[in-house]
PDB file of all heavy atoms in Angstrom:
ATOM      1  N   MET A 118      35.018 123.725 130.249  1.00  0.00           N
ATOM      2  CA  MET A 118      34.070 122.903 131.004  1.00  0.00           C
ATOM      3  C   MET A 118      34.714 122.328 132.180  1.00  0.00           C
ATOM      4  O   MET A 118      35.769 121.669 132.070  1.00  0.00           O
ATOM      5  CB  MET A 118      33.517 121.766 130.107  1.00  0.00           C
ATOM      6  CG  MET A 118      32.442 122.259 129.154  1.00  0.00           C
ATOM      7  SD  MET A 118      32.132 121.024 127.908  1.00  0.00           S
ATOM      8  CE  MET A 118      33.600 121.131 126.950  1.00  0.00           C
ATOM      9  N   PRO A 119      34.181 122.519 133.395  1.00  0.00           N
ATOM     10  CA  PRO A 119      34.736 121.880 134.567  1.00  0.00           C
ATOM     11  C   PRO A 119      34.511 120.417 134.575  1.00  0.00           C
ATOM     12  O   PRO A 119      33.719 119.882 133.800  1.00  0.00           O
ATOM     13  CB  PRO A 119      34.019 122.573 135.750  1.00  0.00           C
ATOM     14  CG  PRO A 119      32.670 122.972 135.163  1.00  0.00           C
ATOM     15  CD  PRO A 119      32.969 123.263 133.713  1.00  0.00           C
ATOM     16  N   LYS A 120      35.206 119.689 135.442  1.00  0.00           N
ATOM     17  CA  LYS A 120      35.017 118.289 135.639  1.00  0.00           C
ATOM     18  C   LYS A 120      33.493 117.982 135.728  1.00  0.00           C
ATOM     19  O   LYS A 120      32.832 118.818 136.391  1.00  0.00           O
ATOM     20  CB  LYS A 120      35.661 117.885 136.998  1.00  0.00           C
ATOM     21  CG  LYS A 120      36.659 116.820 136.928  1.00  0.00           C
ATOM     22  CD  LYS A 120      37.088 116.464 138.345  1.00  0.00           C
ATOM     23  CE  LYS A 120      38.538 116.500 138.504  1.00  0.00           C
ATOM     24  NZ  LYS A 120      38.999 116.485 139.861  1.00  0.00           N
ATOM     25  N   GLU A 121      33.062 116.896 135.204  1.00  0.00           N
ATOM     26  CA  GLU A 121      31.626 116.543 135.228  1.00  0.00           C
ATOM     27  C   GLU A 121      31.022 116.685 136.603  1.00  0.00           C
ATOM     28  O   GLU A 121      29.895 117.164 136.751  1.00  0.00           O
ATOM     29  CB  GLU A 121      31.355 115.090 134.724  1.00  0.00           C
ATOM     30  CG  GLU A 121      31.833 114.802 133.356  1.00  0.00           C
ATOM     31  CD  GLU A 121      33.325 114.459 133.333  1.00  0.00           C
ATOM     32  OE1 GLU A 121      33.657 113.263 133.500  1.00  0.00           O
ATOM     33  OE2 GLU A 121      34.104 115.400 133.097  1.00  0.00           O
ATOM     34  N   GLU A 122      31.769 116.242 137.625  1.00  0.00           N
ATOM     35  CA  GLU A 122      31.199 116.267 138.997  1.00  0.00           C
ATOM     36  C   GLU A 122      30.929 117.671 139.500  1.00  0.00           C
ATOM     37  O   GLU A 122      30.279 117.846 140.558  1.00  0.00           O
ATOM     38  CB  GLU A 122      32.095 115.499 139.949  1.00  0.00           C
ATOM     39  CG  GLU A 122      33.454 116.185 140.103  1.00  0.00           C
ATOM     40  CD  GLU A 122      34.520 115.260 140.714  1.00  0.00           C
ATOM     41  OE1 GLU A 122      35.125 114.448 139.983  1.00  0.00           O
ATOM     42  OE2 GLU A 122      34.728 115.327 141.909  1.00  0.00           O
ATOM     43  N   TYR A 123      31.355 118.672 138.750  1.00  0.00           N
ATOM     44  CA  TYR A 123      31.098 120.053 139.213  1.00  0.00           C
ATOM     45  C   TYR A 123      30.046 120.748 138.305  1.00  0.00           C
ATOM     46  O   TYR A 123      29.795 121.944 138.481  1.00  0.00           O
ATOM     47  CB  TYR A 123      32.423 120.863 139.144  1.00  0.00           C
ATOM     48  CG  TYR A 123      33.473 120.426 140.081  1.00  0.00           C
ATOM     49  CD1 TYR A 123      34.813 120.375 139.701  1.00  0.00           C
ATOM     50  CD2 TYR A 123      33.159 119.978 141.396  1.00  0.00           C
ATOM     51  CE1 TYR A 123      35.784 119.943 140.564  1.00  0.00           C
ATOM     52  CE2 TYR A 123      34.097 119.524 142.244  1.00  0.00           C
ATOM     53  CZ  TYR A 123      35.456 119.524 141.858  1.00  0.00           C
ATOM     54  OH  TYR A 123      36.422 119.039 142.732  1.00  0.00           O
ATOM     55  N   THR A 124      29.446 120.006 137.432  1.00  0.00           N
ATOM     56  CA  THR A 124      28.527 120.667 136.478  1.00  0.00           C
ATOM     57  C   THR A 124      27.269 121.167 137.207  1.00  0.00           C
ATOM     58  O   THR A 124      26.605 122.071 136.724  1.00  0.00           O
ATOM     59  CB  THR A 124      28.124 119.764 135.306  1.00  0.00           C
ATOM     60  OG1 THR A 124      27.708 118.514 135.864  1.00  0.00           O
ATOM     61  CG2 THR A 124      29.253 119.570 134.338  1.00  0.00           C
ATOM     62  N   TYR A 125      27.020 120.595 138.309  1.00  0.00           N
ATOM     63  CA  TYR A 125      25.746 121.037 139.045  1.00  0.00           C
ATOM     64  C   TYR A 125      26.045 122.047 140.140  1.00  0.00           C
ATOM     65  O   TYR A 125      25.159 122.514 140.815  1.00  0.00           O
ATOM     66  CB  TYR A 125      25.086 119.795 139.735  1.00  0.00           C
ATOM     67  CG  TYR A 125      26.110 119.089 140.600  1.00  0.00           C
ATOM     68  CD1 TYR A 125      26.274 119.522 141.919  1.00  0.00           C
ATOM     69  CD2 TYR A 125      26.918 118.075 140.132  1.00  0.00           C
ATOM     70  CE1 TYR A 125      27.230 118.982 142.727  1.00  0.00           C
ATOM     71  CE2 TYR A 125      27.894 117.538 140.929  1.00  0.00           C
ATOM     72  CZ  TYR A 125      28.060 117.980 142.233  1.00  0.00           C
ATOM     73  OH  TYR A 125      29.000 117.439 142.997  1.00  0.00           O
ATOM     74  N   LEU A 126      27.347 122.392 140.252  1.00  0.00           N
ATOM     75  CA  LEU A 126      27.775 123.194 141.367  1.00  0.00           C
ATOM     76  C   LEU A 126      27.692 124.651 141.059  1.00  0.00           C
ATOM     77  O   LEU A 126      28.072 125.100 139.977  1.00  0.00           O
ATOM     78  CB  LEU A 126      29.234 122.830 141.677  1.00  0.00           C
ATOM     79  CG  LEU A 126      29.991 123.408 142.843  1.00  0.00           C
ATOM     80  CD1 LEU A 126      29.210 123.217 144.116  1.00  0.00           C
ATOM     81  CD2 LEU A 126      31.366 122.710 142.970  1.00  0.00           C
ATOM     82  N   SER A 127      27.131 125.454 142.036  1.00  0.00           N
ATOM     83  CA  SER A 127      27.136 126.885 141.866  1.00  0.00           C
ATOM     84  C   SER A 127      27.256 127.537 143.231  1.00  0.00           C
ATOM     85  O   SER A 127      26.897 126.979 144.245  1.00  0.00           O
ATOM     86  CB  SER A 127      25.802 127.351 141.178  1.00  0.00           C
ATOM     87  OG  SER A 127      24.769 127.237 142.151  1.00  0.00           O
ATOM     88  N   SER A 128      27.796 128.772 143.247  1.00  0.00           N
ATOM     89  CA  SER A 128      27.968 129.527 144.508  1.00  0.00           C
ATOM     90  C   SER A 128      26.591 129.685 145.160  1.00  0.00           C
ATOM     91  O   SER A 128      26.411 129.608 146.389  1.00  0.00           O
ATOM     92  CB  SER A 128      28.579 130.876 144.233  1.00  0.00           C
ATOM     93  OG  SER A 128      29.852 130.723 143.699  1.00  0.00           O
ATOM     94  N   ARG A 129      25.566 129.937 144.309  1.00  0.00           N
ATOM     95  CA  ARG A 129      24.211 130.184 144.830  1.00  0.00           C
ATOM     96  C   ARG A 129      23.727 128.944 145.633  1.00  0.00           C
ATOM     97  O   ARG A 129      23.213 129.092 146.745  1.00  0.00           O
ATOM     98  CB  ARG A 129      23.232 130.497 143.681  1.00  0.00           C
ATOM     99  CG  ARG A 129      21.871 130.905 144.118  1.00  0.00           C
ATOM    100  CD  ARG A 129      20.987 131.260 142.943  1.00  0.00           C
ATOM    101  NE  ARG A 129      20.793 130.078 142.010  1.00  0.00           N
ATOM    102  CZ  ARG A 129      19.957 129.085 142.252  1.00  0.00           C
ATOM    103  NH1 ARG A 129      19.195 129.054 143.329  1.00  0.00           N
ATOM    104  NH2 ARG A 129      19.827 128.059 141.377  1.00  0.00           N
ATOM    105  N   LEU A 130      23.888 127.761 145.049  1.00  0.00           N
ATOM    106  CA  LEU A 130      23.398 126.580 145.737  1.00  0.00           C
ATOM    107  C   LEU A 130      24.213 126.244 146.992  1.00  0.00           C
ATOM    108  O   LEU A 130      23.675 125.868 147.983  1.00  0.00           O
ATOM    109  CB  LEU A 130      23.458 125.343 144.825  1.00  0.00           C
ATOM    110  CG  LEU A 130      22.304 125.274 143.743  1.00  0.00           C
ATOM    111  CD1 LEU A 130      22.387 124.050 142.948  1.00  0.00           C
ATOM    112  CD2 LEU A 130      20.923 125.355 144.445  1.00  0.00           C
ATOM    113  N   VAL A 131      25.508 126.518 146.878  1.00  0.00           N
ATOM    114  CA  VAL A 131      26.400 126.270 148.047  1.00  0.00           C
ATOM    115  C   VAL A 131      25.885 127.157 149.261  1.00  0.00           C
ATOM    116  O   VAL A 131      25.789 126.700 150.372  1.00  0.00           O
ATOM    117  CB  VAL A 131      27.835 126.555 147.687  1.00  0.00           C
ATOM    118  CG1 VAL A 131      28.677 126.747 148.932  1.00  0.00           C
ATOM    119  CG2 VAL A 131      28.405 125.439 146.823  1.00  0.00           C
ATOM    120  N   LYS A 132      25.599 128.430 148.927  1.00  0.00           N
ATOM    121  CA  LYS A 132      25.142 129.363 149.962  1.00  0.00           C
ATOM    122  C   LYS A 132      23.833 128.848 150.607  1.00  0.00           C
ATOM    123  O   LYS A 132      23.594 128.900 151.758  1.00  0.00           O
ATOM    124  CB  LYS A 132      24.995 130.766 149.427  1.00  0.00           C
ATOM    125  CG  LYS A 132      26.317 131.458 149.270  1.00  0.00           C
ATOM    126  CD  LYS A 132      26.146 132.903 148.763  1.00  0.00           C
ATOM    127  CE  LYS A 132      25.832 132.855 147.224  1.00  0.00           C
ATOM    128  NZ  LYS A 132      25.926 134.160 146.645  1.00  0.00           N
ATOM    129  N   GLU A 133      22.955 128.391 149.677  1.00  0.00           N
ATOM    130  CA  GLU A 133      21.588 127.923 150.180  1.00  0.00           C
ATOM    131  C   GLU A 133      21.780 126.690 151.091  1.00  0.00           C
ATOM    132  O   GLU A 133      21.142 126.588 152.154  1.00  0.00           O
ATOM    133  CB  GLU A 133      20.738 127.615 148.992  1.00  0.00           C
ATOM    134  CG  GLU A 133      19.315 127.190 149.438  1.00  0.00           C
ATOM    135  CD  GLU A 133      18.341 127.107 148.226  1.00  0.00           C
ATOM    136  OE1 GLU A 133      18.459 127.940 147.349  1.00  0.00           O
ATOM    137  OE2 GLU A 133      17.503 126.234 148.264  1.00  0.00           O
ATOM    138  N   ILE A 134      22.607 125.755 150.678  1.00  0.00           N
ATOM    139  CA  ILE A 134      22.855 124.515 151.445  1.00  0.00           C
ATOM    140  C   ILE A 134      23.452 124.925 152.825  1.00  0.00           C
ATOM    141  O   ILE A 134      23.007 124.415 153.863  1.00  0.00           O
ATOM    142  CB  ILE A 134      23.731 123.545 150.713  1.00  0.00           C
ATOM    143  CG1 ILE A 134      23.058 123.039 149.502  1.00  0.00           C
ATOM    144  CG2 ILE A 134      24.160 122.349 151.592  1.00  0.00           C
ATOM    145  CD1 ILE A 134      23.947 122.305 148.454  1.00  0.00           C
TER     146      ILE A 134
END
Side-chain angles (χ1 to χ4, degrees):
M118 282 167 289
K120 236 188 232 167
E121 300 82 87
E122 63 197 84
Y123 297 139
T124 49
Y125 57 84
L126 185 52
S127 72
S128 298
R129 186 180 61 80
L130 284 182
V131 163
K132 283 180 284 191
E133 183 169 324
I134 293 165

